[in-house]
Amino acid sequence: MFWKFDLNTTSHVDKLLDKEDVTLEELMDEDDVLQECKAQNRRLLDFLCQQQCMEQLVTLITHEPPVDMDEKVRFK
């Protein structure tokens, strides 16, 4: 007997990218965002390469989060 597989599974990252107003923070909160980057998800890479996103990413990397920020969010 042959099993039917749904090979057209859509990742949660792709579902977020379908939203018109998706934010970088929403994408970065996804557990599989790094895996999607490694898999060269073109839609995700195009989104991340936008100037606004690149500037946000550089800011996140180069600035310490506020000390009074919730620890879970601070070190995510």
Side-chain angles (χ1 to χ4, degrees), residues 8-55:
N8 295 324
T9 57
T10 305
S11 72
H12 197 255
V13 170
D14 282 328
K15 290 177 185 175
L16 281 174
L17 289 168
D18 287 337
K19 290 177 32 179
E20 239 179 72
D21 58 345
V22 66
T23 64
L24 178 62
E25 289 80 12
E26 286 177 295
L27 287 169
M28 297 300 285
D29 280 341
E30 285 303 309
D31 291 334
D32 59 344
V33 72
L34 184 59
Q35 183 64 31
E36 291 289 324
C37 285
K38 288 180 180 179
Q40 298 181 6
N41 179 327
R42 178 54 44 201
R43 291 180 65 208
L44 176 60
L45 295 176
D46 288 343
F47 180 85
L48 293 176
C49 288
Q50 294 174 9
Q51 183 168 345
Q52 177 187 356
C53 288
M54 292 300 276
E55 289 172 357

